[in-house]
Amino acid sequence: MQISPNEVVDKAIRSGADEAHVTYVESMGYSVAINIGEISDVVWRHSRGLELVVIKDKKIGVATTNDLSESSIDSLVRRALNMASSSPKNPWWSRLPEPRSYPEVSGTYDKRIEELRPEDIVEIASIAIREIPSYDKRVSLRSGVINSSISKRIIANSNGTYGEDKGTSISMAFVVLAKEKEKIGSFAIGHRESRSLDIDIQELSKEVAEKALASLNARPVKSFKGSLIMGYDVAMQFFTTVAAAMCGDNIWKGRSPLANEKGEVIAVEDLTIVDNGIMPGGYNTSKFDAEGSPRRSTVLIEKGELKSFLHNTYTANILHEEVTGNANSLLSVGPSNIDVKPGDYTVEELMEGVKEGVLVERFSGHMRFEDGLISGVAKQAFKIENGRIAYPIRECMIFGNVYQMLKQINGITKERRKCYFVITPMVRIENITVVSK
């Protein structure tokens, strides 16, 4: 950098700001795109940017730049102060976070990802291109993407908070289709994400090919009320929705139905959920959050009881609660790594307990934390009869309510999977309405 974040903070204070907060982010990495079984694009990305937030008389102004020259920084400070002077006062604003020690985190940086060459990332894509159709001639790789990233983040504020962190990640996703004569199955999507270069591309290729084959010969299904088994990706959507209802900005603004439920039983006893920002190798693991508060582990639901909400300094001050290190920005809150604890069932045992039901691997529609509404189309879905998968289903509709479903869970698997920032088991829920489309 041509100028340090602390120098930017000092410039802002000397120019008249009451408080100032600076975030510098730099990232680089490769992106490989696959289209109809061929590599269509290989791109090297490198970006950097600096964001300045100033507070003057409880008015907040924000400005950004990717030009770090001294003249550009002077302009940045003026723009941020002008934005603040034009903004209304925020009566809820209290202060920026004070300096605190940061935790040690592990599994977030892999030098092998930093050392990847173009031919290395292309070879990873080539393995998928070879492997996926090799499982069965009916299977084809329609599209895919592989991304690698090396990132650096620095945060500083006028209270003396300062932090530096770096990390790596690699992710890949493939869309696969199976076709037999005139019959075409549902699109199958397979993905993996990691902070280390440890994704098993052969395993992922086999998994997504098998998913595509399993969806061939889909049949319509009659409407019924029965069991719903959420595959990992659907469970990820479900628990992300639950976590959103526990974010401090949604609590104090009255958007969450859980606002007055702390200490109450809101789910079955088998359910425990932890927000863990310091989980080894977690997709969102870091030393500090977006405002510079230290990451930590926070129990959200313990044996069905709502224990905590997630906060940054802003919402914690408003609600007179503890800062949990979950700032997405100075004013907004979000989960870090959602850790849904495992249950007692194997996947097979979860299935065996179903007389009539549906296994859903993909869901397209609404899962709203504001009122709990779940309404949408089940894709990559399978009818379950007497404890076994009977046949793949053409698209059907699923209806329910998030908060009712939390109390209708009657099976959680031992097996779990990392889906982006959610570590989730598969879940069985009873008395769900399935409607023929």
Side-chain angles (χ1 to χ4, degrees), residues 16-36:
D18 297 330
E19 297 179 279
H21 170 91
V22 169
T23 303
Y24 171 78
V25 176
E26 183 172 9
S27 66
M28 61 192 78
Y30 293 103
S31 180
V32 178
I34 300 170
N35 186 38
I36 318 296

Side-chain angles (χ1 to χ4, degrees), residues 235-251 255-259 266 271 273-276 284 298-301 306 308-311 324 326 328 333-340 367-370 402-403 406 421-423:
M236 172 194 68
Q237 291 176 266
F238 180 76
F239 290 118
T240 300
T241 303
V242 172
M246 300 175 192
C247 290
D249 47 351
N250 293 325
I251 296 297
R255 293 192 295 236
S256 172
L258 300 180
I266 65 165
L271 185 65
I273 303 175
V274 176
D275 179 88
N276 190 350
N284 280 348
T298 303
V299 177
L300 299 177
I301 297 175
L306 178 57
S308 305
F309 298 133
L310 299 175
H311 291 294
T324 61
N326 287 93
N328 277 349
V333 178
S336 56
N337 300 301
I338 302 172
D339 183 6
V340 185
M367 288 194 187
R368 298 199 313 224
F369 77 86
E370 295 91 340
V402 170
Y403 304 108
L406 286 171
F421 61 94
V422 183
I423 300 86

Side-chain angles (χ1 to χ4, degrees), residues 6 30 45 80 85 179 193 226 246 254 262 301 318 324 338 347-348 354 366 378 395-396 436:
N6 277 328
Y30 293 103
R45 297 167 284 105
S85 66
K179 182 177 180 181
E193 305 79 32
M246 300 175 192
K262 189 185 285 188
I301 297 175
I318 291 170
T324 61
I338 302 172
V347 174
E348 292 75 19
V354 176
H366 300 287
E395 294 180 354
C396 60
S436 177

Side-chain angles (χ1 to χ4, degrees), residues 109-117 149-150 166 168:
Y109 181 81
D110 188 341
K111 192 168 181 61
R112 293 175 298 172
I113 293 178
E114 182 179 359
E115 294 173 345
L116 282 172
R117 300 164 299 173
S149 176
I150 311 107
K166 66 177 183 178
T168 57

Side-chain angles (χ1 to χ4, degrees), residues 219-383:
R219 307 184 210 168
V221 64
K222 292 181 179 180
S223 301
F224 70 95
K225 196 165 190 176
S227 303
L228 165 66
I229 293 181
M230 293 182 177
Y232 296 111
D233 284 334
V234 181
M236 172 194 68
Q237 291 176 266
F238 180 76
F239 290 118
T240 300
T241 303
V242 172
M246 300 175 192
C247 290
D249 47 351
N250 293 325
I251 296 297
W252 83 267
K253 290 178 181 178
R255 293 192 295 236
S256 172
L258 300 180
N260 298 313
E261 298 297 313
K262 189 185 285 188
E264 300 295 325
V265 174
I266 65 165
V268 295
E269 188 177 358
D270 291 337
L271 185 65
T272 293
I273 303 175
V274 176
D275 179 88
N276 190 350
I278 54 175
M279 171 185 293
Y283 200 66
N284 280 348
T285 293
S286 58
K287 294 178 182 178
F288 48 83
D289 65 8
E291 68 176 8
S293 289
R295 288 290 199 191
R296 52 172 262 186
S297 179
T298 303
V299 177
L300 299 177
I301 297 175
E302 185 174 30
K303 295 183 178 179
E305 180 184 336
L306 178 57
K307 290 288 190 179
S308 305
F309 298 133
L310 299 175
H311 291 294
N312 58 9
T313 299
Y314 179 65
T315 62
N317 285 333
I318 291 170
L319 295 173
H320 306 290
E321 295 194 356
E322 190 177 9
V323 178
T324 61
N326 287 93
N328 277 349
S329 71
L330 295 183
L331 301 181
S332 64
V333 178
S336 56
N337 300 301
I338 302 172
D339 183 6
V340 185
K341 297 304 180 182
D344 299 322
Y345 290 81
T346 64
V347 174
E348 292 75 19
E349 289 168 344
L350 200 70
M351 208 88 67
E352 288 169 2
V354 176
K355 183 176 181 181
E356 183 177 24
V358 60
L359 164 64
V360 180
E361 298 281 6
R362 284 196 293 125
F363 177 82
S364 178
H366 300 287
M367 288 194 187
R368 298 199 313 224
F369 77 86
E370 295 91 340
D371 56 10
L373 175 69
I374 293 182
S375 173
V377 180
K379 300 183 177 183
Q380 200 77 31
F382 303 87
K383 182 70 185 302

